[in-house]
Amino acid sequence: MGGEQVREAVEHGLAVLGAVADRDWKGTKAGRLDWNCWGTAEHIASDLIAYAGQLAGRPTARYVPFEIDMAECENNADLLEVIRTTGVLLTAVVHTTPRSVRAFHPYPFRAADREGFAAMGVAEVLLHTHDIIEGLGLPVSVAVPPAGLGLCESVLARLFPHVRPGDDPWATLLWATGRGDLPGRAPVTEWRWSNPLHIDAERLVLQGVHPAAAADLAEGGTGGFDWIAGGPVDGTRTGAGLVFQAYEAGVHRPEWGMFVLVRKDDGLAVGALGYHGAPDEEGRVEIGYDLVEGARGRGYMTEAVGALTAWARERGREQRDVRSLFAVVEKTNTPSQNVVSRAGFDKVSDDWGDGEDGAQFAYELRLRA
């Protein structure tokens, strides 16, 4: 998901809306929205420039305090010209923004990267084009984006990782944003974007892996990350496959998913860690991790597990849905045993299950009573 997808979405929206530019946009309500069609088109342009502004300015605590003024637009064609221009600006900023950059966005973890802002821009264009077409009384099929572009699949995997994707990505996106119905699923009345969680550590950033990246990793790709030699390892690919399976089943919870460890000094990925799923009924959640061989022996995983533990502890205070972290380690894997011990885990079993070389050790860290 990048600038090219933003450009494709804007071109699609302009083609659809250009065909109805002679209609009354100001006097017509836009689909299920409270805005009229004119206001909805203004909103598309406002969001595109706002997302470009966030990525360019890179604020961390709030939106850049500016608004776009479209008072000089005399007709619908003028408004479409503004959408075209703001689309070009977002496309350019996404193209030129480094992958590591994060800027403020409120949902749900108060930041988003270039992929997130690109995906939100694409979604704004596609969904509000649909709203305008629906409001004007045209067949809503007119607004369906070309399936070959894969825009809807990309938006769902990046912004709706908690939503089971379904067989029809466009119908699923409309349902997930309260614009349609899907058989067997309750109507959606409230929704928000869900950008991946990033957890900051001293030398590393734990970057949340969304389902699209997980699928790529599982299939032998890089997941969009630049890896040191030898990475990613098999354990990372296996874990990514489990993430994508959970997404397809509709049970993936991104904050309890997988993270790639990216070094701050060079932007290279050195390993991965994460949870095996959301906390169980007792509030316990299991973790797993691995490092590329060339990154071992430098304390990276100890640092990463410490950061993940700190996040879980804070989450437990706020949400009260996690009470303890759990880890299972092979008896022969002394370095991994040292990692969890240094992170404050206590050994709770000398005979847990059957590993390749015999029984495993089990460790647990109580976060709260």
Side-chain angles (χ1 to χ4, degrees), residues 294-310:
R296 295 171 187 169
R298 305 181 187 183
Y300 287 140
M301 193 54 72
T302 296
E303 179 181 322
V305 172
L308 193 72
T309 298

PDB file of all heavy atoms in Angstrom, residues 294-310:
ATOM      1  N   GLY A 294      22.482 -13.606  12.804  1.00  0.00           N
ATOM      2  CA  GLY A 294      23.463 -12.530  12.836  1.00  0.00           C
ATOM      3  C   GLY A 294      23.170 -11.445  13.856  1.00  0.00           C
ATOM      4  O   GLY A 294      24.014 -10.563  14.082  1.00  0.00           O
ATOM      5  N   ALA A 295      21.990 -11.481  14.485  1.00  0.00           N
ATOM      6  CA  ALA A 295      21.627 -10.468  15.477  1.00  0.00           C
ATOM      7  C   ALA A 295      21.665 -11.006  16.898  1.00  0.00           C
ATOM      8  O   ALA A 295      21.362 -10.272  17.848  1.00  0.00           O
ATOM      9  CB  ALA A 295      20.226  -9.934  15.176  1.00  0.00           C
ATOM     10  N   ARG A 296      22.071 -12.270  17.050  1.00  0.00           N
ATOM     11  CA  ARG A 296      22.050 -12.881  18.383  1.00  0.00           C
ATOM     12  C   ARG A 296      23.270 -12.458  19.201  1.00  0.00           C
ATOM     13  O   ARG A 296      24.291 -12.067  18.663  1.00  0.00           O
ATOM     14  CB  ARG A 296      21.990 -14.405  18.252  1.00  0.00           C
ATOM     15  CG  ARG A 296      20.691 -14.888  17.613  1.00  0.00           C
ATOM     16  CD  ARG A 296      20.712 -16.366  17.289  1.00  0.00           C
ATOM     17  NE  ARG A 296      19.502 -16.739  16.533  1.00  0.00           N
ATOM     18  CZ  ARG A 296      19.330 -17.900  15.934  1.00  0.00           C
ATOM     19  NH1 ARG A 296      20.289 -18.840  15.987  1.00  0.00           N
ATOM     20  NH2 ARG A 296      18.209 -18.144  15.277  1.00  0.00           N
ATOM     21  N   GLY A 297      23.096 -12.556  20.520  1.00  0.00           N
ATOM     22  CA  GLY A 297      24.183 -12.244  21.417  1.00  0.00           C
ATOM     23  C   GLY A 297      24.398 -10.762  21.664  1.00  0.00           C
ATOM     24  O   GLY A 297      25.417 -10.365  22.236  1.00  0.00           O
ATOM     25  N   ARG A 298      23.446  -9.924  21.275  1.00  0.00           N
ATOM     26  CA  ARG A 298      23.593  -8.481  21.447  1.00  0.00           C
ATOM     27  C   ARG A 298      22.539  -7.883  22.372  1.00  0.00           C
ATOM     28  O   ARG A 298      22.451  -6.670  22.511  1.00  0.00           O
ATOM     29  CB  ARG A 298      23.535  -7.786  20.089  1.00  0.00           C
ATOM     30  CG  ARG A 298      24.560  -8.325  19.096  1.00  0.00           C
ATOM     31  CD  ARG A 298      24.494  -7.597  17.775  1.00  0.00           C
ATOM     32  NE  ARG A 298      25.351  -8.228  16.774  1.00  0.00           N
ATOM     33  CZ  ARG A 298      25.547  -7.781  15.547  1.00  0.00           C
ATOM     34  NH1 ARG A 298      24.925  -6.666  15.161  1.00  0.00           N
ATOM     35  NH2 ARG A 298      26.337  -8.403  14.697  1.00  0.00           N
ATOM     36  N   GLY A 299      21.721  -8.732  22.974  1.00  0.00           N
ATOM     37  CA  GLY A 299      20.707  -8.256  23.908  1.00  0.00           C
ATOM     38  C   GLY A 299      19.454  -7.712  23.266  1.00  0.00           C
ATOM     39  O   GLY A 299      18.594  -7.139  23.950  1.00  0.00           O
ATOM     40  N   TYR A 300      19.298  -7.910  21.961  1.00  0.00           N
ATOM     41  CA  TYR A 300      18.116  -7.377  21.285  1.00  0.00           C
ATOM     42  C   TYR A 300      16.823  -7.983  21.822  1.00  0.00           C
ATOM     43  O   TYR A 300      15.841  -7.271  22.064  1.00  0.00           O
ATOM     44  CB  TYR A 300      18.199  -7.623  19.782  1.00  0.00           C
ATOM     45  CG  TYR A 300      19.195  -6.767  19.038  1.00  0.00           C
ATOM     46  CD1 TYR A 300      19.979  -7.307  18.023  1.00  0.00           C
ATOM     47  CD2 TYR A 300      19.343  -5.414  19.339  1.00  0.00           C
ATOM     48  CE1 TYR A 300      20.891  -6.515  17.323  1.00  0.00           C
ATOM     49  CE2 TYR A 300      20.250  -4.621  18.648  1.00  0.00           C
ATOM     50  CZ  TYR A 300      21.020  -5.180  17.645  1.00  0.00           C
ATOM     51  OH  TYR A 300      21.917  -4.409  16.949  1.00  0.00           O
ATOM     52  N   MET A 301      16.820  -9.308  21.983  1.00  0.00           N
ATOM     53  CA  MET A 301      15.570  -9.928  22.397  1.00  0.00           C
ATOM     54  C   MET A 301      15.237  -9.612  23.847  1.00  0.00           C
ATOM     55  O   MET A 301      14.057  -9.448  24.193  1.00  0.00           O
ATOM     56  CB  MET A 301      15.617 -11.436  22.164  1.00  0.00           C
ATOM     57  CG  MET A 301      14.251 -12.103  22.285  1.00  0.00           C
ATOM     58  SD  MET A 301      12.983 -11.325  21.216  1.00  0.00           S
ATOM     59  CE  MET A 301      13.519 -11.879  19.595  1.00  0.00           C
ATOM     60  N   THR A 302      16.245  -9.501  24.695  1.00  0.00           N
ATOM     61  CA  THR A 302      15.976  -9.096  26.069  1.00  0.00           C
ATOM     62  C   THR A 302      15.326  -7.722  26.099  1.00  0.00           C
ATOM     63  O   THR A 302      14.352  -7.471  26.822  1.00  0.00           O
ATOM     64  CB  THR A 302      17.283  -9.068  26.881  1.00  0.00           C
ATOM     65  OG1 THR A 302      17.824 -10.393  26.951  1.00  0.00           O
ATOM     66  CG2 THR A 302      17.040  -8.555  28.292  1.00  0.00           C
ATOM     67  N   GLU A 303      15.838  -6.813  25.280  1.00  0.00           N
ATOM     68  CA  GLU A 303      15.267  -5.474  25.185  1.00  0.00           C
ATOM     69  C   GLU A 303      13.835  -5.523  24.650  1.00  0.00           C
ATOM     70  O   GLU A 303      12.941  -4.844  25.167  1.00  0.00           O
ATOM     71  CB  GLU A 303      16.148  -4.625  24.259  1.00  0.00           C
ATOM     72  CG  GLU A 303      15.661  -3.217  24.054  1.00  0.00           C
ATOM     73  CD  GLU A 303      16.579  -2.446  23.111  1.00  0.00           C
ATOM     74  OE1 GLU A 303      17.807  -2.637  23.183  1.00  0.00           O
ATOM     75  OE2 GLU A 303      16.056  -1.654  22.299  1.00  0.00           O
ATOM     76  N   ALA A 304      13.616  -6.347  23.619  1.00  0.00           N
ATOM     77  CA  ALA A 304      12.292  -6.420  22.991  1.00  0.00           C
ATOM     78  C   ALA A 304      11.262  -7.025  23.940  1.00  0.00           C
ATOM     79  O   ALA A 304      10.133  -6.518  24.048  1.00  0.00           O
ATOM     80  CB  ALA A 304      12.369  -7.234  21.704  1.00  0.00           C
ATOM     81  N   VAL A 305      11.624  -8.110  24.613  1.00  0.00           N
ATOM     82  CA  VAL A 305      10.691  -8.735  25.547  1.00  0.00           C
ATOM     83  C   VAL A 305      10.385  -7.786  26.696  1.00  0.00           C
ATOM     84  O   VAL A 305       9.240  -7.703  27.171  1.00  0.00           O
ATOM     85  CB  VAL A 305      11.245 -10.080  26.064  1.00  0.00           C
ATOM     86  CG1 VAL A 305      10.373 -10.630  27.185  1.00  0.00           C
ATOM     87  CG2 VAL A 305      11.330 -11.086  24.933  1.00  0.00           C
ATOM     88  N   GLY A 306      11.377  -7.034  27.130  1.00  0.00           N
ATOM     89  CA  GLY A 306      11.138  -6.047  28.181  1.00  0.00           C
ATOM     90  C   GLY A 306      10.146  -4.989  27.746  1.00  0.00           C
ATOM     91  O   GLY A 306       9.264  -4.595  28.507  1.00  0.00           O
ATOM     92  N   ALA A 307      10.272  -4.520  26.493  1.00  0.00           N
ATOM     93  CA  ALA A 307       9.343  -3.512  25.982  1.00  0.00           C
ATOM     94  C   ALA A 307       7.943  -4.083  25.840  1.00  0.00           C
ATOM     95  O   ALA A 307       6.945  -3.418  26.157  1.00  0.00           O
ATOM     96  CB  ALA A 307       9.844  -2.983  24.638  1.00  0.00           C
ATOM     97  N   LEU A 308       7.857  -5.319  25.340  1.00  0.00           N
ATOM     98  CA  LEU A 308       6.552  -5.952  25.180  1.00  0.00           C
ATOM     99  C   LEU A 308       5.894  -6.175  26.537  1.00  0.00           C
ATOM    100  O   LEU A 308       4.686  -5.975  26.703  1.00  0.00           O
ATOM    101  CB  LEU A 308       6.712  -7.293  24.455  1.00  0.00           C
ATOM    102  CG  LEU A 308       5.428  -7.945  23.944  1.00  0.00           C
ATOM    103  CD1 LEU A 308       4.896  -7.180  22.739  1.00  0.00           C
ATOM    104  CD2 LEU A 308       5.682  -9.408  23.561  1.00  0.00           C
ATOM    105  N   THR A 309       6.680  -6.556  27.519  1.00  0.00           N
ATOM    106  CA  THR A 309       6.175  -6.771  28.874  1.00  0.00           C
ATOM    107  C   THR A 309       5.660  -5.465  29.475  1.00  0.00           C
ATOM    108  O   THR A 309       4.593  -5.423  30.101  1.00  0.00           O
ATOM    109  CB  THR A 309       7.279  -7.356  29.761  1.00  0.00           C
ATOM    110  OG1 THR A 309       7.682  -8.632  29.247  1.00  0.00           O
ATOM    111  CG2 THR A 309       6.805  -7.525  31.188  1.00  0.00           C
ATOM    112  N   ALA A 310       6.421  -4.385  29.272  1.00  0.00           N
ATOM    113  CA  ALA A 310       6.000  -3.087  29.802  1.00  0.00           C
ATOM    114  C   ALA A 310       4.679  -2.655  29.180  1.00  0.00           C
ATOM    115  O   ALA A 310       3.806  -2.109  29.874  1.00  0.00           O
ATOM    116  CB  ALA A 310       7.085  -2.043  29.541  1.00  0.00           C
TER     117      ALA A 310
END
